[in-house]
Amino acid sequence: MAAAAAAALGAEEPELCLELLPTDPLLLIFSFLDYQDLVSCSCVSRRLNQLSNHDPLWRRHCKKYWLLSEAEKTQKNKSWKTLFKDTYIDLGRYIQHYATLKKAWDDLERYLGQRCPRMIGSLKDSVEECELDAVEAQIGCKLPNDYRCSFRIHNGQKLVVPGLMGSMALSNHYRSEDLLDIDTAAGGFQQRQGLKQCLPLTFCIHTGLSQYMALESVEGRNKYEIFYQCPDQMARNPSAIDMFITGWRGNLRAKAVLSTVPDTHSASYSEWFTSYVHNVVTGGYPIIRDQIFRYVHDKGCVATTGDITVSVSTSFLPELSSVHPPHYFFTYRIRIEMSKDALPEKTCQLDSRYWRITNAKGEIEEVQGPGVVGEFPILSPGRVYEYTSCTTFSTTSGYMEGHYTFHLLYYKDRIFNVAIPRFHMVCPTFKVSTTPRETSHDDCSVIEEDEEEDSTDSDDYEGPRLVNYSPAPSHCPRHT
């Protein structure tokens, strides 16, 4: 009896093996595996191969990576496993990017289809792998996978107005950016000093403005960084080009930094594009006259006085700004609305405006004048009045606040002020050119002189300014 017990204790227990589990628990375990692990399991044994080919397991992966629907499966009359395999053969190199970009494109098409159907008509069909490979051979640089992936969904858009990547309008200035197709982008690939190995992503046919993507880490740029070019106005060397950064992973709206500060962020086309789409489809960027306007609205930037509410949205205009000399151009859109529940006798007319403008140095300027943009709007219950104006700063940031003065139409001697909420304007991150500026002593004195320029706000128009071609004036156009 004792010997039998000792023998039983000394006997080895059978090794636990995955294959020994019943089918249902195994399928449950497999349902948590990624597609790569399922493929690996299929190579272990005949039983695991059969279980890993269980078609419902591949349904999740088809939806996760390729956004395939039940309707598409029915239409193609294929199993989920076959659908996944066929799509992987075509788009496998983009498996980490495809779902994110496809969802962004689908969301954008659905949203614009309801609000700007004309813009949807300008989109081009996708391109094939061989066309992207040919472009890489043409420019002599590799394209990032997320950028290539976007073209496998849509090949940008035609050069039309309005552009898909947003518009901006002032009295004598208009910008509308198209998202370039791959051939047009390749034709604009830069090899010249200052923009070496940079590929244009967007283009405005009115201003010539483009957003570029750096395909290599040269001239102080990080690989795949996205930026607006900004020629150094004070340099004798035309290759001295500063940059307003618009795209890198993790921080798209940082404060301005110098190029001497190391940038540890990894640039990402997909984040640049999906962030823009998110702002559009969530209503962050308003659609005005069938165009996307890139105004940013801070939800806290709202003030209500009695029955009147004032809210403000702002935007930075890189094409009218410069780092050297420091001249940062902002436009703001103001919405003034009277509550629909207000009494008719509350109908009033705007008489004047008062602004208190503060730059990053704490310097304050006060501006007041009649009306707004040459008008004296009347507000009645439920009515909305909107207008656009602009201001400039010699510092990278600043803020404005103030009030409007109204009088009641029925009691003209009754005058009251309506608060304008404080709204901040901050220039995007910028980098200064690493190209030698070859600046003379005379140029340096001009820089000191321009740095005295302060923020201004006036409805007096003094002409448009393109920083690519002319020195910065001390004021800006004031009405739209």
Side-chain angles (χ1 to χ4, degrees):
M1 198 68 179
L9 289 172
E12 293 185 1
E13 294 185 4
E15 183 179 351
L16 182 62
C17 179
L18 192 65
E19 289 190 68
L20 298 179
L21 291 175
T23 296
D24 287 346
L26 263 179
L27 288 177
L28 179 62
I29 293 172
F30 279 16
S31 69
F32 292 97
L33 299 183
D34 201 4
Y35 74 97
Q36 294 169 312
D37 298 319
L38 283 178
V39 172
S40 298
C41 286
S42 70
C43 301
V44 173
S45 67
R46 180 175 298 177
R47 182 167 184 250
L48 293 188
N49 179 279
Q50 291 174 340
L51 291 175
S52 64
N53 285 324
H54 185 58
D55 202 51
L57 293 174
W58 293 93
R59 176 177 177 272
R60 179 171 69 91
H61 301 302
C62 282
K63 294 193 171 188
K64 175 182 177 181
Y65 291 108
W66 310 127
L67 303 186
L68 294 172
S69 65
E70 299 280 355
E72 289 172 296
K73 177 183 181 295
T74 302
Q75 181 184 4
K76 295 182 178 181
N77 194 26
K78 293 181 179 180
S79 67
W80 288 114
K81 173 75 181 294
T82 303
L83 279 176
F84 185 91
K85 181 180 176 181
D86 291 348
T87 311
Y88 187 88
I89 290 171
D90 185 29
L91 298 168
R93 70 181 292 176
Y94 311 120
I95 195 164
Q96 300 304 322
H97 307 292
Y98 183 84
T100 299
L101 288 166
K102 183 69 165 66
K103 182 180 184 303
W105 274 111
D106 289 348
D107 290 346
L108 188 61
E109 286 187 82
R110 187 162 45 248
Y111 184 82
L112 295 181
Q114 299 172 354
R115 294 163 178 81
C116 321
R118 184 162 60 102
M119 196 177 293
I120 294 297
S122 70
L123 298 181
K124 293 188 172 184
D125 294 334
S126 62
V127 298
E128 299 298 325
E129 283 295 291
C130 59
E131 296 175 73
L132 296 171
D133 292 340
V135 166
E136 288 186 338
Q138 174 187 338
I139 65 177
C141 285
K142 289 291 185 183
L143 301 172
N145 271 343
D146 53 354
Y147 179 66
R148 289 178 60 118
C149 181
S150 183
F151 286 99
R152 294 304 313 274
I153 302 167
H154 274 297
N155 184 21
Q157 68 172 142
K158 303 168 187 174
L159 289 179
V160 297
V161 175
L164 184 69
M165 300 309 290
S167 302
M168 189 56 62
L170 294 173
S171 55
N172 253 12
H173 178 79
Y174 178 74
R175 181 190 82 213
S176 188
E177 288 183 66
D178 291 307
L179 184 65
L180 295 179
D181 64 66
I182 191 62
D183 290 328
T184 306
F189 180 68
Q190 299 292 319
Q191 288 285 22
R192 65 185 176 92
Q193 190 176 6
L195 285 174
K196 190 172 291 183
Q197 295 179 315
C198 290
L199 186 76
L201 303 181
T202 67
F203 181 70
C204 171
I205 61 177
H206 298 86
T207 64
L209 183 75
S210 285
Q211 291 188 67
Y212 284 91
M213 177 167 60
L215 296 186
E216 298 293 342
S217 297
V218 294
E219 298 180 328
R221 289 181 290 272
N222 296 310
K223 194 173 185 179
Y224 303 146
E225 201 163 48
I226 300 172
F227 63 93
Y228 284 111
Q229 81 277 22
C230 177
D232 186 333
Q233 300 291 316
M234 309 312 301
R236 293 184 181 277
N237 187 349
S239 299
I241 297 177
D242 302 323
M243 299 164 284
F244 290 112
I245 310 300
T246 58
W248 74 58
R249 181 166 299 146
N251 190 354
L252 297 179
R253 293 185 60 79
K255 292 183 179 179
V257 295
L258 298 176
S259 60
T260 53
V261 178
D263 179 7
T264 57
H265 298 287
S266 173
S268 170
Y269 173 87
S270 61
E271 180 163 329
W272 171 81
F273 181 71
T274 56
S275 296
Y276 173 76
V277 171
H278 176 76
N279 279 324
V280 174
V281 302
T282 58
Y285 291 157
I287 292 180
I288 305 168
R289 298 186 298 276
D290 292 330
Q291 299 180 69
I292 301 167
F293 277 76
R294 282 157 56 176
Y295 283 104
V296 178
H297 174 62
D298 179 354
K299 292 183 179 179
C301 191
V302 178
T304 299
T305 305
D307 296 307
I308 299 176
T309 299
V310 178
S311 59
V312 188
S313 303
T314 63
S315 185
F316 174 74
L317 271 64
E319 70 272 27
L320 298 179
S321 302
S322 65
V323 178
H324 297 102
H327 181 87
Y328 306 100
F329 191 108
F330 298 89
T331 178
Y332 52 89
R333 184 173 181 82
I334 294 187
R335 176 185 174 95
I336 310 173
E337 179 178 9
M338 177 173 280
S339 170
K340 63 181 180 180
D341 298 325
L343 298 174
E345 53 264 33
K346 292 295 183 73
T347 299
C348 55
Q349 183 171 24
L350 190 150
D351 293 323
S352 62
R353 71 192 185 283
Y354 164 80
W355 288 111
R356 180 182 173 91
I357 309 170
T358 308
N359 67 17
K361 298 177 182 177
E363 298 167 342
I364 298 172
E365 179 185 5
E366 295 180 289
V367 176
Q368 53 188 343
V372 288
V373 296
E375 296 182 358
F376 301 85
I378 294 175
L379 289 183
S380 55
R383 189 186 171 194
V384 175
Y385 177 80
E386 294 181 298
Y387 74 95
T388 299
S389 190
C390 54
T391 191
T392 59
F393 289 95
S394 61
T395 57
T396 57
S397 64
Y399 62 86
M400 295 173 61
E401 57 193 331
H403 65 257
Y404 298 117
T405 299
F406 284 82
H407 72 267
L408 295 177
L409 286 186
Y410 294 97
Y411 309 97
K412 294 188 178 181
D413 57 334
R414 294 189 183 180
I415 297 173
F416 61 97
N417 292 334
V418 172
I420 305 171
R422 176 181 295 187
F423 56 97
H424 293 263
M425 291 158 281
V426 182
C427 148
T429 298
F430 66 79
K431 288 186 175 181
V432 298
S433 173
T434 59
T435 303
R437 300 178 65 224
E438 301 177 13
T439 306
S440 70
H441 176 73
D442 292 339
D443 291 328
C444 292
S445 65
V446 176
I447 292 176
E448 293 171 2
E449 202 173 292
D450 279 0
E451 285 177 344
E452 295 302 316
E453 174 198 336
D454 204 348
S455 54
T456 58
D457 181 88
S458 163
D459 284 333
D460 299 326
Y461 172 68
E462 299 195 14
R465 174 179 166 276
L466 298 181
V467 298
N468 291 17
Y469 310 109
S470 61
S474 58
H475 298 285
C476 64
R478 290 300 166 197
H479 55 274
T480 301

